[in-house]
Amino acid sequence: MDTIVALASAQGRAGVAIVRVSGPCAWAVCEALAGFVPPVREARLARLRDASGGLIDSGLVLCFAEGASFTGEKICEFQVHGSIAVVGALLRACLACEGVRAAEAGEFTRRAFLGGRMDLTEVEALADLIDAETEVQRRQALTVMEGSAARVIEGWREDLLQSLAMLEAALDFADEELPPDLTGHVMAPLLRVRDSLGAQIAGRKASEAVRSGFDVAIVGPVNAGKSSLLNALAGREAAITSSRAGTTRDVIEVRMEIAGLAVTLIDTAGLREAEDEIERLGIERGRARAAAADLRVYLLGAPGEVAEGVEPEDIVVLSKADLWGQPGISAATGEGIGALIGRIAGVLQQRIAHSSVFNRERHFDKLARAAEGVDAALAGLSGGVGWDLVGEDVKAAIRALDGIIGRVDVEDVLGRIFSSFCIGK
């Protein structure tokens, strides 16, 4: 492969910038700029010079050996002062070395994948870690990067291969005496895989919500204090508030973190029979957005009001409690706001308790195909279908699982995955 170079830290002015070089010429670049190659994984201070001998900067030089680096190739990293001019001069000096070119978006990570340093789920988890906004997103990404998804798949694969081995033995030694309960021995691993697959697929919504965030809609009649509550939860004036009924005409969204979870709060238009066309459209849009939300907080505008269409986990609370002298919330005084946040957090945390280790649509598409293969194999065994046909169904399930971690059928997704990375990662 070519030797590639890119800024691995953030663009722009900073205290420190890291320029990474990966490929067969990486150490030659280090020799050319620093005048020496430091011992592996031992940072050394160096005065970095360009081809004409001009001083670029003083900084640390760190080298990694082939087979023991992020990409699996020889790597050299230069840690210099984070000046835009310094970084530019350093990159030009690296690119002036023979066999070196600028890296493309995600190319370092792509080389790590192609070199067997990471599987595809770990690559995707790295992208999620870089994009993580909350503590729970960080933990989810790290769990997958540690190989949790790969271990689950390997367990399924071992069971499927066990069944496949017995099926192929039945075909190869059809004329010889076989175990009396061969069908049961084939079915047992398939049943384990089916149940485990079902549990992971059932946790889809929760795991996807951890990655992308939960939607929490604030619903209620006009002038119930929905926008005031949104502002209180967000800690800023995100929505216009007024004593005039029907101020909110459209859906207003605010992104925030609750108990380590990414949450989008949705302020909807007040529910009433509106004659104004614009307000009516806002109410309809708000109803649709609230129905699609993961959780709804229904505000009661006065004691005795009844919330309609409430689902079991939705939260119903009396608004403007300071006016009524009854338990509830008050955006004006802050009464009950902390307790409401705790209730929202409790519901959402309960939902992620059984989330899947998989978190992308691509994963669940492959899991569904694997489940179809396993179900077809079990149906074939129960229906007396030939061993060879059952074996093909098991092989289809294995291929679907291999597609998740990148063993097969990944060329169509590689471009999309790596294009989401920044240059230098």
Side-chain angles (χ1 to χ4, degrees), residues 118-131:
M118 309 174 75
D119 67 42
L120 208 52
T121 60
E122 292 167 345
V123 168
E124 292 166 323
L126 175 58
D128 290 340
L129 181 62
I130 293 171
D131 292 336

Side-chain angles (χ1 to χ4, degrees), residues 107-384:
E107 191 167 3
F108 288 98
T109 308
R110 184 170 188 140
R111 291 188 178 200
F113 167 70
L114 295 175
R117 304 290 293 177
M118 309 174 75
D119 67 42
L120 208 52
T121 60
E122 292 167 345
V123 168
E124 292 166 323
L126 175 58
D128 290 340
L129 181 62
I130 293 171
D131 292 336
E133 300 175 283
T134 69
E135 176 63 14
V136 176
Q137 288 175 334
R138 181 189 69 83
R139 292 202 303 264
Q140 182 192 58
L142 282 176
T143 298
V144 181
M145 278 187 67
E146 295 274 317
S148 61
R151 286 192 294 273
V152 171
I153 289 173
E154 284 303 319
W156 291 336
R157 203 170 185 276
E158 285 299 314
D159 276 339
L160 293 174
L161 288 174
Q162 180 182 340
S163 291
L164 187 60
M166 286 185 281
L167 288 167
E168 293 182 346
L171 290 171
D172 292 340
F173 304 101
D175 297 332
E176 300 184 22
E177 185 174 344
L178 296 170
D181 189 25
L182 182 60
T183 299
H185 288 299
V186 173
M187 290 185 74
L190 293 177
L191 290 170
R192 285 197 300 271
V193 173
R194 183 196 66 183
D195 294 342
S196 184
L197 272 170
Q200 290 296 330
I201 292 172
R204 172 176 183 167
K205 188 174 182 180
S207 67
E208 288 182 333
V210 169
R211 179 171 172 263
S212 61
F214 288 91
D215 288 343
V216 177
I218 303 174
V219 185
V222 294
N223 218 21
K226 298 182 295 300
S227 297
S228 296
L229 175 59
L230 177 77
N231 292 340
L233 293 173
R236 60 185 177 87
E237 295 295 316
I240 298 173
T241 59
S242 169
S243 58
R244 177 183 172 185
T247 302
T248 302
R249 298 294 186 94
D250 203 349
V251 174
I252 299 174
E253 299 183 1
V254 174
R255 185 83 163 181
M256 65 180 295
E257 180 177 341
I258 294 179
L261 295 167
V263 173
T264 298
L265 291 175
I266 305 165
D267 179 20
T268 61
L271 303 178
R272 68 174 177 178
E273 294 298 325
E275 296 181 0
D276 182 85
E277 182 180 358
I278 296 176
E279 184 181 356
R280 186 168 60 252
L281 289 173
I283 292 172
E284 291 174 359
R285 184 177 295 181
R287 288 182 187 274
R289 195 72 174 84
D294 298 291
L295 177 66
R296 283 148 295 278
V297 176
Y298 285 87
L299 294 189
L300 303 179
E305 282 188 359
V306 178
E308 297 180 0
V310 178
E311 296 186 12
E313 289 187 327
D314 289 343
I315 297 172
V316 180
V317 63
L318 176 64
S319 184
K320 303 180 181 180
D322 55 312
L323 300 180
W324 314 115
Q326 296 186 23
I329 64 164
S330 170
T333 66
E335 177 187 345
I337 298 297
L340 176 60
I341 292 174
R343 291 178 66 184
I344 294 172
V347 173
L348 299 183
Q349 287 174 331
Q350 187 173 2
R351 291 190 185 180
I352 68 171
H354 302 290
S355 62
S356 174
V357 298
F358 304 94
N359 59 10
R360 291 178 179 250
E361 183 177 351
R362 183 185 73 83
H363 300 165
F364 290 106
D365 177 63
K366 296 289 187 182
L367 291 178
R369 295 186 188 184
E372 288 174 3
V374 172
D375 287 340
L378 288 168
L381 288 169
S382 299

